[in-house]
Amino acid sequence: FASTRVEDCYFENVTSLFRWQGNQGPGVFNRNVVKHVSGNSYVLRFHDRGGAMPNDLIVANSLFVGTPLIDFGVIHADFIGTNNQSDQNPRIRVVNNTFHDYTGSAVQIGGQDPVGEAIIANNIFSGTGENASKTGISILNESIQVELLNNLFFNNTSDVIGAPDVDQGSVFANPSFLTETVTEPTSPGAATEQGLVPSSPSVAGQ
Protein backbone atom coordinates (compact mmCIF):
# COMPACT_ATOMS: atom_id res chain seq x y z
CA PHE A 1 0.00 0.00 0.00
CA ALA A 2 1.13 3.57 -0.69
CA SER A 3 -0.04 6.51 1.44
CA THR A 4 -2.49 4.26 3.26
CA ARG A 5 -4.49 5.04 6.40
CA VAL A 6 -6.27 2.24 8.30
CA GLU A 7 -8.32 3.50 11.22
CA ASP A 8 -11.14 2.42 13.56
CA CYS A 9 -11.34 -1.18 12.31
CA TYR A 10 -11.89 -4.51 14.03
CA PHE A 11 -10.10 -7.64 12.71
CA GLU A 12 -10.58 -11.18 14.01
CA ASN A 13 -9.33 -14.62 12.89
CA VAL A 14 -7.30 -13.36 9.94
CA THR A 15 -3.99 -14.77 8.68
CA SER A 16 -2.21 -11.43 8.23
CA LEU A 17 -3.31 -7.87 7.61
CA PHE A 18 -1.13 -5.38 5.77
CA ARG A 19 2.35 -4.88 4.42
CA TRP A 20 4.12 -1.79 3.19
CA GLN A 21 6.97 -2.53 0.81
CA GLY A 22 9.36 -0.80 -1.55
CA ASN A 23 8.86 2.86 -2.38
CA GLN A 24 5.57 3.15 -0.46
CA GLY A 25 4.24 5.21 2.38
CA PRO A 26 3.53 6.96 4.50
CA GLY A 27 1.32 4.39 6.19
CA VAL A 28 -0.89 4.91 9.24
CA PHE A 29 -2.46 2.10 11.30
CA ASN A 30 -4.41 3.84 14.06
CA ARG A 31 -7.16 3.00 16.59
CA ASN A 32 -7.64 -0.59 15.44
CA VAL A 33 -8.31 -3.87 17.24
CA VAL A 34 -6.70 -7.12 16.06
CA LYS A 35 -7.90 -10.28 17.80
CA HIS A 36 -6.80 -13.89 17.35
CA VAL A 37 -4.61 -13.82 14.25
CA SER A 38 -4.37 -17.34 12.84
CA GLY A 39 -1.53 -18.99 10.92
CA ASN A 40 2.22 -18.53 11.08
CA SER A 41 2.60 -15.00 9.76
CA TYR A 42 3.01 -11.36 10.69
CA VAL A 43 0.16 -8.93 11.32
CA LEU A 44 1.83 -5.82 9.88
CA ARG A 45 5.02 -5.89 7.78
CA PHE A 46 7.35 -3.10 6.70
CA HIS A 47 10.03 -4.24 4.22
CA ASP A 48 11.99 -3.58 1.05
CA ARG A 49 11.23 -4.24 -2.59
CA GLY A 50 13.82 -3.78 -5.30
CA GLY A 51 16.22 -2.27 -2.80
CA ALA A 52 13.87 0.54 -1.70
CA MET A 53 12.15 0.88 1.67
CA PRO A 54 8.84 2.48 2.70
CA ASN A 55 9.49 6.00 3.93
CA ASP A 56 7.32 6.03 7.06
CA LEU A 57 4.92 3.82 9.03
CA ILE A 58 3.02 4.78 12.17
CA VAL A 59 1.25 2.15 14.30
CA ALA A 60 -0.65 3.86 17.10
CA ASN A 61 -3.46 3.52 19.63
CA SER A 62 -4.25 -0.06 18.68
CA LEU A 63 -4.85 -3.34 20.49
CA PHE A 64 -3.31 -6.67 19.42
CA VAL A 65 -4.59 -9.76 21.26
CA GLY A 66 -3.74 -13.41 20.58
CA THR A 67 -1.24 -13.15 17.74
CA PRO A 68 1.22 -15.18 15.59
CA LEU A 69 2.40 -18.68 16.40
CA ILE A 70 6.01 -18.19 15.29
CA ASP A 71 8.74 -15.70 16.19
CA PHE A 72 8.12 -13.47 13.17
CA GLY A 73 6.69 -10.45 14.90
CA VAL A 74 3.19 -9.08 15.32
CA ILE A 75 4.81 -6.02 13.74
CA HIS A 76 7.74 -7.04 11.54
CA ALA A 77 10.05 -4.26 10.32
CA ASP A 78 12.73 -5.57 7.96
CA PHE A 79 15.33 -2.93 7.08
CA ILE A 80 17.08 -4.61 4.12
CA GLY A 81 16.90 -2.00 1.34
CA THR A 82 20.14 -1.55 -0.61
CA ASN A 83 19.35 1.46 -2.81
CA ASN A 84 18.52 4.02 -0.13
CA GLN A 85 19.45 7.57 -1.09
CA SER A 86 21.18 9.88 1.38
CA ASP A 87 17.90 11.74 1.98
CA GLN A 88 15.88 8.57 2.59
CA ASN A 89 15.61 7.45 6.19
CA PRO A 90 12.99 4.70 6.49
CA ARG A 91 11.25 4.96 9.83
CA ILE A 92 8.66 3.07 11.85
CA ARG A 93 6.97 4.45 14.94
CA VAL A 94 5.05 2.14 17.29
CA VAL A 95 3.29 4.32 19.87
CA ASN A 96 0.50 3.94 22.47
CA ASN A 97 -0.45 0.32 21.68
CA THR A 98 -1.31 -2.68 23.83
CA PHE A 99 0.16 -6.08 22.87
CA HIS A 100 -1.36 -8.92 24.88
CA ASP A 101 -0.99 -12.70 24.73
CA TYR A 102 1.48 -13.20 21.84
CA THR A 103 3.49 -16.38 21.26
CA GLY A 104 6.16 -14.81 19.05
CA SER A 105 7.60 -11.30 19.26
CA ALA A 106 5.28 -8.34 19.61
CA VAL A 107 7.65 -6.07 17.67
CA GLN A 108 10.57 -7.40 15.66
CA ILE A 109 13.23 -5.19 14.04
CA GLY A 110 15.23 -7.12 11.44
CA GLY A 111 17.30 -6.83 8.28
CA GLN A 112 20.88 -5.74 7.63
CA ASP A 113 20.55 -2.18 6.31
CA PRO A 114 22.29 0.43 8.53
CA VAL A 115 19.89 3.18 7.38
CA GLY A 116 16.66 3.53 9.33
CA GLU A 117 14.98 4.38 12.60
CA ALA A 118 12.52 2.60 14.90
CA ILE A 119 10.82 4.43 17.75
CA ILE A 120 8.83 2.25 20.16
CA ALA A 121 7.15 4.32 22.87
CA ASN A 122 4.32 4.27 25.43
CA ASN A 123 3.26 0.68 24.71
CA ILE A 124 2.14 -2.17 26.97
CA PHE A 125 3.64 -5.63 26.32
CA SER A 126 2.01 -8.26 28.52
CA GLY A 127 1.17 -11.90 28.92
CA THR A 128 -2.12 -13.06 30.38
CA GLY A 129 -2.77 -13.46 34.05
CA GLU A 130 -1.86 -17.16 33.74
CA ASN A 131 0.53 -17.46 30.79
CA ALA A 132 3.65 -15.54 29.87
CA SER A 133 3.94 -14.09 26.39
CA LYS A 134 7.21 -14.70 24.56
CA THR A 135 9.24 -11.60 23.57
CA GLY A 136 8.09 -8.01 23.83
CA ILE A 137 10.65 -6.41 21.51
CA SER A 138 13.21 -8.29 19.42
CA ILE A 139 16.03 -6.22 17.87
CA LEU A 140 17.81 -8.37 15.30
CA ASN A 141 19.24 -5.42 13.35
CA GLU A 142 21.33 -3.35 15.76
CA SER A 143 22.81 -1.16 13.02
CA ILE A 144 19.75 1.11 12.74
CA GLN A 145 18.64 3.63 15.35
CA VAL A 146 16.26 1.97 17.81
CA GLU A 147 14.70 3.97 20.64
CA LEU A 148 12.59 2.47 23.44
CA LEU A 149 10.72 5.08 25.48
CA ASN A 150 8.32 4.64 28.41
CA ASN A 151 7.13 1.10 27.62
CA LEU A 152 5.56 -1.24 30.17
CA PHE A 153 6.49 -4.94 30.31
CA PHE A 154 4.74 -7.67 32.26
CA ASN A 155 4.86 -11.47 32.23
CA ASN A 156 7.06 -11.98 29.15
CA THR A 157 9.60 -14.75 28.69
CA SER A 158 11.93 -11.97 27.46
CA ASP A 159 11.07 -8.28 27.57
CA VAL A 160 13.72 -7.06 25.12
CA ILE A 161 16.22 -9.03 23.02
CA GLY A 162 19.05 -7.02 21.48
CA ALA A 163 20.55 -3.65 22.32
CA PRO A 164 18.57 -0.46 21.62
CA ASP A 165 20.38 2.84 21.14
CA VAL A 166 18.07 4.50 23.66
CA ASP A 167 16.20 2.77 26.48
CA GLN A 168 14.44 5.15 28.83
CA GLY A 169 11.50 5.04 31.19
CA SER A 170 10.72 1.31 31.03
CA VAL A 171 8.25 0.06 33.64
CA PHE A 172 8.09 -3.56 34.81
CA ALA A 173 4.74 -3.98 36.52
CA ASN A 174 1.35 -5.61 36.24
CA PRO A 175 -0.95 -3.29 34.23
CA SER A 176 -3.86 -4.76 36.22
CA PHE A 177 -6.34 -4.70 33.36
CA LEU A 178 -9.92 -4.26 34.44
CA THR A 179 -10.72 -7.26 32.24
CA GLU A 180 -8.96 -9.21 29.50
CA THR A 181 -12.12 -9.43 27.40
CA VAL A 182 -12.38 -7.86 23.96
CA THR A 183 -15.67 -8.27 22.10
CA GLU A 184 -16.74 -7.73 18.53
CA PRO A 185 -18.69 -4.54 17.79
CA THR A 186 -22.42 -5.18 17.83
CA SER A 187 -23.17 -3.17 14.70
CA PRO A 188 -21.30 -1.39 11.88
CA GLY A 189 -19.72 1.78 13.13
CA ALA A 190 -20.12 0.82 16.80
CA ALA A 191 -17.12 1.25 19.07
CA THR A 192 -15.24 -1.90 20.08
CA GLU A 193 -15.55 -2.70 23.77
CA GLN A 194 -11.96 -2.22 24.90
CA GLY A 195 -11.60 -4.41 27.94
CA LEU A 196 -7.83 -4.19 28.28
CA VAL A 197 -7.75 -0.92 30.20
CA PRO A 198 -5.18 -0.57 33.01
CA SER A 199 -6.86 0.02 36.36
CA SER A 200 -4.07 2.25 37.61
CA PRO A 201 -3.85 5.80 36.21
CA SER A 202 -0.10 5.77 36.82
CA VAL A 203 0.21 2.72 34.59
CA ALA A 204 -2.18 4.08 31.98
CA GLY A 205 -0.11 7.25 31.88
CA GLN A 206 2.89 5.32 30.62
Side-chain angles (χ1 to χ4, degrees):
F1 293 101
S3 301
T4 303
R5 181 179 294 271
V6 182
E7 292 187 319
D8 302 312
C9 296
Y10 178 90
F11 304 92
E12 184 172 358
N13 293 328
V14 294
T15 301
S16 62
L17 291 182
F18 302 102
R19 63 180 181 181
W20 285 264
Q21 60 181 3
N23 189 23
Q24 296 181 336
V28 176
F29 189 87
N30 185 39
R31 297 192 308 266
N32 299 297
V33 174
V34 181
K35 180 181 178 182
H36 298 323
V37 173
S38 59
N40 294 335
S41 187
Y42 54 83
V43 177
L44 304 176
R45 190 178 181 192
F46 174 87
H47 67 115
D48 85 308
R49 183 174 64 183
M53 286 288 296
N55 63 11
D56 204 1
L57 175 61
I58 300 172
V59 182
N61 307 309
S62 295
L63 170 64
F64 301 87
V65 180
T67 42
L69 304 178
I70 63 171
D71 195 14
F72 194 35
V74 177
I75 298 174
H76 183 77
D78 219 357
F79 291 85
I80 56 176
T82 57
N83 295 333
N84 289 315
Q85 304 297 318
S86 59
D87 62 345
Q88 183 184 22
N89 185 35
R91 177 173 60 176
I92 180 170
R93 287 172 283 176
V94 181
V95 182
N96 296 339
N97 303 285
T98 296
F99 299 87
H100 182 67
D101 189 20
Y102 38 90
T103 52
S105 296
V107 178
Q108 186 175 97
I109 307 298
Q112 300 84 37
D113 200 312
V115 179
E117 178 182 27
I119 299 174
I120 305 170
N122 302 335
N123 301 285
I124 295 176
F125 300 91
S126 78
T128 68
E130 298 179 354
N131 301 311
S133 287
K134 192 172 182 182
T135 303
I137 302 169
S138 180
I139 305 169
L140 306 181
N141 180 359
E142 296 184 359
S143 61
I144 68 167
Q145 178 78 12
V146 179
E147 299 184 9
L148 309 184
L149 306 170
N150 302 328
N151 296 291
L152 182 145
F153 300 92
F154 175 71
N155 202 18
N156 296 293
T157 302
S158 298
D159 295 321
V160 179
I161 294 177
D165 296 276
V166 177
D167 188 356
Q168 297 178 353
S170 294
V171 175
F172 304 93
N174 188 341
S176 300
F177 295 124
L178 296 176
T179 175
E180 296 185 3
T181 300
V182 175
T183 59
E184 184 177 356
T186 55
S187 62
T192 300
E193 295 180 20
Q194 163 60 288
L196 290 162
V197 177
S199 59
S200 168
S202 63
V203 172
Q206 298 297 327

